[in-house]
Amino acid sequence: MNGHFSAVGDQPANGNYDHGCQVIDEEKEFNRNLNDYLQTMRVAEAGFNYHLISVFGSQSTGKSTLLNHLFGTTFSVMSETERRQTTKGIWVSKNKRETSSGTKMADNILVMDVEGTDGRERGEDQDFERKSALFALATSEVLLINIWEHQVGLYQGANMGLLKTVFEVNLQLFLKDKNSTPRSLLFFVIRDHIGVTPLSALQNTLIQDLTKIWSSISKPEGLEQSRIEDYFDFGFAALPHKILQGEKFESEVALLGARFTTGHRVGKGEDGAAESEGGILLPEYHRRIPADGLSVYTEGIWDQIVNNKDLDLPTQQELLAQFRCDEISREVLVAFDLLLNPLEEQQSQASKLGKAIVLPDLGTTASQAREKCFRAFEVQASRYHKGVYSRKKQELESKVDGRLKTLYQGQIAAAHKAGVAAFSEAVSNKVKAGQKAGGAYEFAEIVSNEKKKTMEIFKAEVDSLAIEGVEWTNFVSQNQLFEAELDEVSSKLRKDEIRRLATRVERWVKSRLGDAVGLEFNKLGSGRGGSGAPEEGQKPATEKDLWDRIWKVFIGIVSEAESRFADRAKSFDASDAEVDVGLWRLRRKSWTALREKIEEEVMEGNILLKLRENFEDKFRYDDAGVPRIWRPTDDIEGIYTKARESTLTLIPLLSKFKLLSSNGSPDLIGFIGAQPSGVEAGDEEDLTPIGGVDEEDGKSLEEEMTMLSENKRQDLVVRFKKTADGVYVEAKRSAIGGMTQ
Ligand code: GDP
Ligand code: MG
């Protein structure tokens, strides 16, 4: 017999699983194709819905033949003519039969064909036997023990050595795993059953032998009293000689196959042994390793075994859980990335360009991606070690939520920015439209409407990001921040609006002053003071109270302007401080406007004309307003001198803003009032300094009130006199001319 390995049964190339998949090769190396095999066979996705069965027994006892018949597998078998060992290491194959003898078999039965051990040297034999037993027990629900009928009762036989090993290994293995102490089913298949000795008798003999073996093994501390039934259930079947009773063998195998369905425990029988209903595959035999982790788990187990390390299944299961949870986490994140990456990309693209983009439907897309990711993780990973699972779940959650947080913060920032811009634009547009339509618009109303609208849009965006039960997706404070910023923008817009209002009112003041002051100066043209006859009961206007009249009319216009300004500003919610500043500015600008108007009136040409008119009026008309016809006897010179002197008194009067009533300048300081506390940077920029009011300006009130400088005054006197002289000469000539006529 060729005790050594031949090329037959070598590890298949990837994807070629003609004879199943080799898990452990003859060099005791673990074969990493297992996962691929499980995926190809679609077992990997089955969760816990699979069954792992191993077969044990001496070499060439027809184990592989049995499995091939039971499960439709194609494990290599010894050719009947050559007779040499074929199975090497450990192979696995999925059951290819759906039914057996008319019964539906359990889903996803995986069978491990373990190399028999008889043909090798004793030391090496024992080593592999022990290792493969450990491996099978750590993973399999059912151990099929293949045995010839004639070996039953031969206590010293090779099978018994194997069973002793199995028992010892089992104790060693599950000593550590006190929490679960899984049971296994030892299922004896008695081959070449002749039929003379009934199965029940063989069964009894075997149980006696097993009990003897159990009592002979040394048990670890604390387990001295343990019984074999504490760890194992037993099952039995007998098969006729395959070659001699071919047909019967086939039908018996089919019947045996029909027992490979799931069953359940119904209680203990009279002898204390457990009884079950249904098939032989009880849930309690299952090692609870999810199918998608089977490959990693078995590899870890084998690594421990082959390196003679203490096999600690709970630790192995924890390590497996860590490994698989990480793997599953990566897998579910790939799907998550597919949904999130384009969004993240868009956002970062926009921010590179300095833009803020509000991604449509972000809340829905992101929360769905999140939910999908967590569900997918939960479905697969929750089958693993609970502690590890919940830790890894938290890790995944914080990763996913971290990504969402960044996205959401960007989204809120963008919505915030867009909202503020839209608000400010909408208000400006409405104001512009209102101005075009004649100024009949309510600024405060526009602001409050637009604010409400904008707040609603922002809130809807923020609300759409909320995920139920997720604390950090509650963005109440962002709503508050947004509102605060809108208020800030509103107050800026209101300032603009106040400025616009102020400009309008100032323009109005200017135009009113232009008319009113112009009128007062025109009156100077009439030498009898005032134009036309004085009204009933009113003192005729005199030139002397010119400034009193101007001041009065000025105060009147300004106070009307002030109340226009204040009313309007209050209508759009301007604060008292804002109104005060506006009024203060208005009074200053009004004074400046008045001064400019007066300067215009006293400009050389203008004033000279008025003085001449004034003089002519006095000179050419008598007191009754009748034009004089000069005769040589008239005191032309006397009338001339009187009229000239009278008009000349106007020049000092005009040169200074001085009230007749108080015999002094008007109370400009009191009129303008103290600078209000609400004045901000920029409020003063466009203001002309006022002498006596702005002390730091260096100009006195006296100067501010001076409308004609000393030089101009003298110049004016000279020019006026020349003009008057001309008129006198002309009058004189006309008197003489009249006489000669
Ligand atoms: P394994 O080494 O245990 O896997 O055994 P094999 O399945 O390779 O079979 C070894 C030899 O036993 C082969 O030549 C088979 O033809 C033969 N064989 C298979 N089944 C039976 C059986 O039921 N009875 C007997 N006597 N021989 C069998
Ligand atoms: Mg074999």
Side-chain angles (χ1 to χ4, degrees):
M1 195 178 285
N2 183 356
H4 279 276
F5 309 116
S6 70
V8 185
D10 263 353
Q11 185 169 318
N14 247 355
N16 173 12
Y17 300 113
D18 287 351
H19 300 285
C21 171
Q22 193 172 31
V23 186
I24 310 294
D25 70 10
E26 54 264 49
E27 307 299 335
K28 292 182 189 153
E29 290 285 337
F30 187 86
N31 176 359
R32 298 204 156 182
N33 283 344
L34 178 58
N35 198 42
D36 180 57
Y37 178 72
L38 292 177
Q39 261 161 9
T40 306
M41 293 293 131
R42 311 206 55 173
V43 178
E45 65 211 54
F48 295 122
N49 187 24
Y50 73 93
H51 304 279
L52 196 50
I53 289 162
S54 295
V55 71
F56 273 92
S58 308
Q59 198 187 314
S60 303
T61 48
K63 297 187 298 296
S64 301
T65 306
L66 169 65
L67 295 181
N68 289 347
H69 279 80
L70 261 179
F71 302 111
T73 52
T74 46
F75 292 121
S76 305
V77 295
M78 179 185 282
S79 112
E80 271 160 35
T81 49
E82 272 180 74
R83 300 204 70 80
R84 37 171 215 167
Q85 187 204 359
T86 49
T87 308
K88 302 208 166 59
I90 301 175
W91 286 69
V92 72
S93 179
K94 186 187 166 183
N95 174 24
K96 297 201 173 117
R97 297 200 194 292
E98 296 219 329
T99 57
S100 194
S101 188
T103 303
K104 187 182 175 301
M105 297 175 84
D107 298 331
N108 302 315
I109 298 173
L110 296 170
V111 235
M112 290 210 289
D113 191 6
V114 182
E115 179 187 327
T117 49
D118 290 2
R120 308 166 112 191
E121 284 170 25
R122 200 168 159 68
E124 201 190 326
D125 255 3
Q126 276 189 328
D127 185 56
F128 187 75
E129 183 179 279
R130 203 175 171 83
K131 284 181 165 138
S132 55
L134 254 171
F135 184 68
L137 274 167
T139 56
S140 311
E141 297 158 55
V142 178
L143 263 57
L144 289 178
I145 312 286
N146 199 46
I147 183 170
W148 300 121
E149 182 185 5
H150 62 75
Q151 285 183 315
V152 175
L154 296 179
Y155 174 58
Q156 299 304 329
N159 289 308
M160 297 303 141
L162 170 72
L163 285 168
K164 196 173 171 192
T165 305
V166 167
F167 292 160
E168 282 170 358
V169 157
N170 189 72
L171 276 175
Q172 173 200 333
L173 201 53
F174 298 113
L175 188 61
K176 295 240 164 120
D177 195 4
K178 292 198 181 74
N179 294 334
S180 56
T181 338
R183 299 173 71 80
S184 309
L185 176 66
L186 292 185
F187 198 98
F188 289 86
V189 181
I190 298 158
R191 306 290 294 270
D192 288 0
H193 184 225
I194 298 162
V196 177
T197 319
L199 179 61
S200 57
L202 295 167
Q203 198 169 316
N204 283 337
T205 310
L206 276 169
I207 287 177
Q208 278 168 26
D209 286 355
L210 293 170
T211 313
K212 262 192 239 168
I213 297 167
W214 183 261
S215 57
S216 77
I217 63 168
S218 58
K219 299 174 193 69
E221 235 185 276
L223 296 175
E224 296 89 348
Q225 299 307 311
S226 64
R227 298 175 312 156
I228 189 168
E229 301 87 38
D230 295 339
Y231 298 95
F232 295 102
D233 287 336
F234 297 103
F236 301 92
L239 294 175
H241 196 296
K242 186 204 163 217
I243 295 146
L244 301 182
Q245 294 175 274
E247 265 176 49
K248 186 132 192 274
F249 176 84
E250 291 290 349
S251 63
E252 289 292 320
V253 166
L255 283 175
L256 175 57
R259 294 173 71 181
F260 285 83
T261 64
T262 52
H264 58 275
R265 179 84 61 201
V266 288
K268 304 251 175 186
E270 267 171 32
D271 56 350
E275 283 180 2
S276 62
E277 255 175 16
I280 60 168
L281 301 168
L282 303 190
E284 61 204 273
Y285 303 149
H286 206 288
R287 296 297 187 250
R288 308 299 297 170
I289 305 302
D292 56 6
L294 200 54
S295 159
V296 175
Y297 180 69
T298 48
E299 182 176 359
I301 296 282
W302 184 254
D303 180 68
Q304 299 282 301
I305 293 174
V306 94
N307 292 307
N308 293 314
K309 290 190 190 139
D310 265 358
L311 195 52
D312 178 351
L313 293 187
T315 303
Q316 285 302 314
Q317 282 165 19
E318 243 183 270
L319 290 173
L320 168 70
Q322 281 171 22
F323 181 87
R324 277 297 295 148
C325 285
D326 285 343
E327 253 183 7
I328 295 164
S329 189
R330 277 196 295 276
E331 280 163 25
V332 299
L333 278 172
V334 168
F336 179 76
D337 279 347
L338 235 51
L339 291 165
L340 266 260
N341 280 346
L343 299 174
E344 291 169 330
E345 188 60 25
Q346 266 176 280
Q347 203 178 64
S348 79
Q349 228 27 53
S351 92
K352 264 184 217 150
L353 296 171
K355 284 192 225 151
I357 180 172
V358 180
L359 300 163
D361 301 325
L362 175 66
T364 324
T365 315
S367 70
Q368 274 172 4
R370 176 184 188 269
E371 186 62 21
K372 235 170 126 185
C373 174
F374 291 169
R375 283 293 83 76
F377 181 78
E378 192 184 300
V379 165
Q380 294 187 68
S382 67
R383 296 185 185 121
Y384 290 92
H385 185 275
K386 290 288 162 276
V388 174
Y389 161 67
S390 63
R391 205 172 66 236
K392 294 290 175 183
K393 186 178 154 191
Q394 271 175 15
E395 278 177 29
L396 176 68
E397 280 174 359
S398 71
K399 243 185 229 166
V400 163
D401 283 356
R403 298 265 299 274
L404 251 55
K405 247 180 231 177
T406 311
L407 257 178
Y408 282 14
Q409 273 158 7
Q411 179 85 338
I412 289 175
H416 184 109
K417 208 170 154 188
V420 168
F423 170 73
S424 142
E425 199 185 306
V427 172
S428 303
N429 285 342
K430 287 257 159 73
V431 166
K432 263 181 219 154
Q435 280 167 342
K436 253 189 202 161
Y441 64 92
E442 285 304 325
F443 181 78
E445 211 171 274
I446 291 173
V447 166
S448 92
N449 284 344
E450 291 306 322
K451 180 180 162 185
K452 197 169 156 244
K453 244 192 257 171
T454 317
M455 284 291 294
E456 268 163 20
I457 295 169
F458 184 78
K459 190 174 181 298
E461 183 56 49
V462 159
D463 285 352
S464 80
L465 299 180
I467 301 170
E468 220 188 291
V470 184
E471 187 51 41
W472 67 263
T473 62
N474 178 345
F475 298 111
V476 174
S477 64
Q478 274 78 354
N479 271 320
Q480 288 162 353
L481 279 176
F482 184 64
E483 180 164 16
E485 173 133 15
L486 288 190
D487 287 342
E488 212 172 283
V489 171
S490 302
S491 102
K492 269 197 203 112
L493 291 171
R494 196 174 56 232
K495 279 213 167 69
D496 294 346
E497 184 64 11
I498 291 173
R499 274 294 161 91
R500 275 195 293 274
L501 169 63
T503 310
R504 281 203 305 278
V505 175
E506 283 158 18
R507 228 183 280 134
W508 179 84
V509 167
K510 253 188 195 160
S511 116
R512 286 290 311 273
L513 280 179
D515 293 346
V517 174
L519 194 67
E520 293 304 332
F521 272 88
N522 285 342
K523 287 176 188 168
L524 286 178
S526 153
R528 282 149 293 123
S531 54
E535 278 174 43
E536 195 78 43
Q538 217 178 350
K539 256 183 24 187
T542 62
E543 287 149 356
K544 291 200 169 98
D545 67 352
L546 169 74
W547 293 115
D548 295 76
R549 278 177 282 128
I550 288 179
W551 183 249
K552 193 178 158 209
V553 90
F554 170 70
I555 294 289
I557 290 169
V558 173
S559 97
E560 194 183 336
E562 280 189 302
S563 63
R564 276 174 174 229
F565 176 84
D567 287 353
R568 186 81 175 131
K570 277 189 183 130
S571 84
F572 45 73
D573 289 342
S575 67
D576 287 349
E578 283 168 332
V579 172
D580 285 349
V581 171
L583 292 176
W584 176 74
R585 283 172 48 85
L586 177 62
R587 287 190 299 269
R588 292 189 55 122
K589 289 210 155 195
S590 298
W591 168 255
T592 306
L594 174 64
R595 212 176 177 285
E596 279 167 5
K597 178 63 189 166
I598 294 169
E599 271 166 14
E600 187 193 313
E601 290 291 340
V602 298
M603 251 164 48
E604 227 169 86
N606 290 346
I607 199 66
L608 200 59
L609 202 68
K610 297 264 162 59
L611 291 178
R612 183 193 164 128
E613 279 173 15
N614 183 277
F615 164 74
E616 286 191 354
D617 207 38
K618 286 169 179 164
F619 180 61
R620 285 193 180 157
Y621 297 84
D622 64 14
D623 288 344
V626 180
R628 289 191 166 104
I629 310 285
W630 298 111
R631 283 160 303 187
T633 48
D634 285 343
D635 179 13
I636 300 179
E637 200 174 324
I639 296 171
Y640 158 72
T641 309
K642 198 180 151 206
R644 192 191 63 179
E645 290 314 307
S646 165
T647 299
L648 273 173
T649 59
L650 287 179
I651 294 176
L653 175 84
L654 285 170
S655 64
K656 191 141 225 173
F657 202 127
K658 194 172 167 191
L659 300 178
L660 191 64
S661 52
S662 63
N663 194 29
S665 296
D667 180 12
L668 188 57
I669 298 171
F671 165 76
I672 285 170
Q675 174 174 319
S677 54
V679 172
E680 289 169 16
D683 277 339
E684 290 177 288
E685 263 171 22
D686 59 341
L687 296 177
T688 313
I690 299 174
V693 173
D694 302 314
E695 281 154 22
E696 67 274 20
D697 191 48
K699 200 171 147 198
S700 67
L701 187 63
E702 184 74 17
E703 285 167 285
E704 183 73 26
M705 292 298 166
T706 303
M707 300 303 165
L708 280 173
S709 66
E710 188 56 38
N711 279 348
K712 278 189 178 157
R713 250 171 75 175
Q714 285 174 12
D715 193 45
L716 197 56
V717 168
V718 173
R719 280 164 175 269
F720 167 68
K721 277 183 174 165
K722 271 186 194 157
T723 310
D725 288 352
V727 173
Y728 167 73
V729 170
E730 198 188 311
K732 204 68 175 169
R733 271 198 200 119
S734 84
I736 297 163
M739 200 186 63
T740 54
Q741 254 174 4

